[in-house]
Amino acid sequence: MQTRQFGTTGLRFPILSFGAQRIVDAHGCSEEEAIRIVHRAIDEGITYFDTAPSYSKGQSEERLGKALSQDGRRNRIHLATKTHDRTRDGSWRLLEESLKRLQTDHVDEWRLHNVASMEELDRCFAKDGAMQAMREAKEQGLVKLASISGHTNPDVQITALQRYPFDSALVALSVVDAFLYSFEHEFLPVAAEQGTAVIGMKVLGLGKLATWYEQALRYTWSLPISTAIIGMETMEQLERNLEAARSFQPLTEIERALLWKETAPLIDPGVMKWKAAAWESNEWYIRQKTTPTEG
């Protein structure tokens, strides 16, 4: 697989990274199968793994932790998790719980999860906000890199980079994201200027882009990003993604134009749920306590 630089960190990762949100019961993946998939992914060269405490009430972290605890695999990968709490104390609690579930003494990357509005960003940067926990955790060596994610409004993440030198940002970069609150057109140039690594997500648009599966992957990988996280819940999905990554060729301008034309009917908040106001994180995470998560 092609590898790329991860911003100015000195790290490099393959273009295909592992989203662990779906290796859970809610997506029909057993613990035994989850461990098999993770082991196969590592053995095939995937080194970047992303999870969060909100994914199935910690089950994603638990299963990833069990998989990584075997045969020294934790030392072979870069591990990222998140905090969806906007306070210092709440974020510290989430980090401590994440470390236990992941069976590790540190995470390589810790993210402010799904910061969707300026009001949320202000709360993160307020006195006793989540950023205080981020700074403290880095000082104590529990966290190596600081990150932020966003699905909805690129202005929020642009403002975040103006306030703090985040090492990376995880943002929505599917083909249908290009024309509605576009991280591609608005955020990527700012991140490049500041040397911030960019990780793409929502590559398959919550499954809405399944008809254009390989083309959707190629579209996001053709952007100036470091890597893209793809959620995988079966071995078949992993193998398909590995094959696509190994054979990757950037889209031509004609291919891009045709893909935009074919997927244009999907450019609507009713389809692109992550662009809707209901995805503002605190409200969304409250609802996830009783409903399965979406990747």
Side-chain angles (χ1 to χ4, degrees):
M1 278 184 285
Q2 180 186 127
T3 65
R4 296 179 184 172
Q5 292 184 349
F6 197 67
T8 57
T9 65
L11 301 171
R12 294 184 69 91
F13 297 110
I15 56 174
L16 174 61
S17 289
F18 194 101
Q21 182 175 5
R22 295 176 177 270
I23 54 168
V24 295
D25 291 343
H27 286 281
C29 184
S30 68
E31 181 175 300
E32 180 181 7
E33 183 67 1
I35 292 172
R36 279 206 324 124
I37 293 169
V38 170
H39 286 180
R40 174 71 173 169
I42 296 171
D43 292 344
E44 292 300 314
I46 294 177
T47 55
Y48 190 107
F49 285 75
D50 172 88
T51 185
S54 59
Y55 295 164
S56 293
K57 302 178 182 178
Q59 190 177 68
S60 170
E61 289 185 328
E62 289 176 357
R63 290 186 173 176
L64 191 53
K66 289 178 180 179
L68 296 177
S69 69
Q70 300 179 21
D71 301 323
R73 285 184 168 86
R74 171 66 182 94
N75 296 327
R76 295 167 58 186
I77 65 100
H78 181 95
L79 180 59
T81 193
K82 311 179 182 76
T83 172
H84 57 265
D85 198 292
R86 304 316 184 203
T87 68
R88 181 261 182 200
D89 291 348
S91 291
W92 260 115
R93 175 182 54 79
L94 288 175
L95 178 59
E96 290 167 352
E97 293 171 353
S98 291
L99 292 173
K100 290 178 182 178
R101 285 191 290 261
L102 291 165
Q103 301 185 41
T104 186
D105 60 359
H106 74 282
V107 291
D108 300 294
E109 202 168 345
W110 198 31
R111 271 192 251 291
L112 302 181
H113 196 173
N114 187 25
V115 183
S117 68
M118 293 298 184
E119 184 271 337
E120 283 189 74
L121 186 65
D122 287 342
R123 286 164 56 200
C124 291
F125 277 87
K127 182 179 179 181
D128 295 327
M131 280 305 300
Q132 183 177 340
M134 180 77 75
R135 293 185 182 98
E136 292 171 355
K138 286 193 71 176
E139 289 172 0
Q140 296 180 31
L142 300 179
V143 171
K144 292 186 178 180
L145 303 181
S147 184
I148 187 170
S149 71
H151 309 72
T152 309
N153 181 359
D155 285 343
V156 177
Q157 278 62 47
I158 290 171
T159 302
L161 293 192
Q162 294 168 349
R163 296 185 183 183
Y164 183 83
F166 286 97
D167 297 293
S168 72
L170 171 65
V171 296
L173 285 169
S174 74
V175 58
V176 290
D177 279 284
F179 299 105
L180 187 64
Y181 291 108
S182 177
F183 284 92
E184 176 181 341
H185 296 133
E186 298 178 38
F187 180 76
L188 286 184
V190 176
E193 183 177 352
Q194 297 199 16
T196 304
V198 177
I199 309 117
M201 66 171 167
K202 293 293 176 286
V203 177
L204 295 169
L206 297 179
K208 300 297 184 181
L209 293 167
T211 301
W212 303 273
Y213 198 101
E214 279 75 15
Q215 290 168 289
L217 293 176
R218 288 177 64 204
Y219 183 92
T220 302
W221 285 331
S222 296
L223 299 174
I225 64 172
S226 295
T227 188
I229 289 170
I230 314 296
M232 306 180 224
E233 64 210 59
T234 67
M235 193 68 75
E236 289 74 21
Q237 289 173 357
L238 170 60
E239 298 295 347
R240 184 176 187 180
N241 293 333
L242 285 167
E243 181 179 355
R246 288 169 178 151
S247 63
F248 165 67
Q249 294 292 328
L251 289 180
T252 66
E253 289 302 315
I254 292 176
E255 288 174 322
R256 276 171 64 90
L258 288 174
L259 188 57
W260 280 335
K261 181 179 179 181
E262 292 175 10
T263 58
L266 300 179
I267 303 172
D268 183 286
V271 174
M272 302 163 62
K273 297 178 182 180
W274 60 97
K275 295 292 187 187
W279 270 64
E280 292 190 2
S281 63
N282 276 359
E283 296 177 7
W284 187 79
Y285 287 112
I286 290 170
R287 287 198 297 277
Q288 299 320 295
K289 292 179 180 179
T290 56
T291 58
T293 57
E294 293 181 293

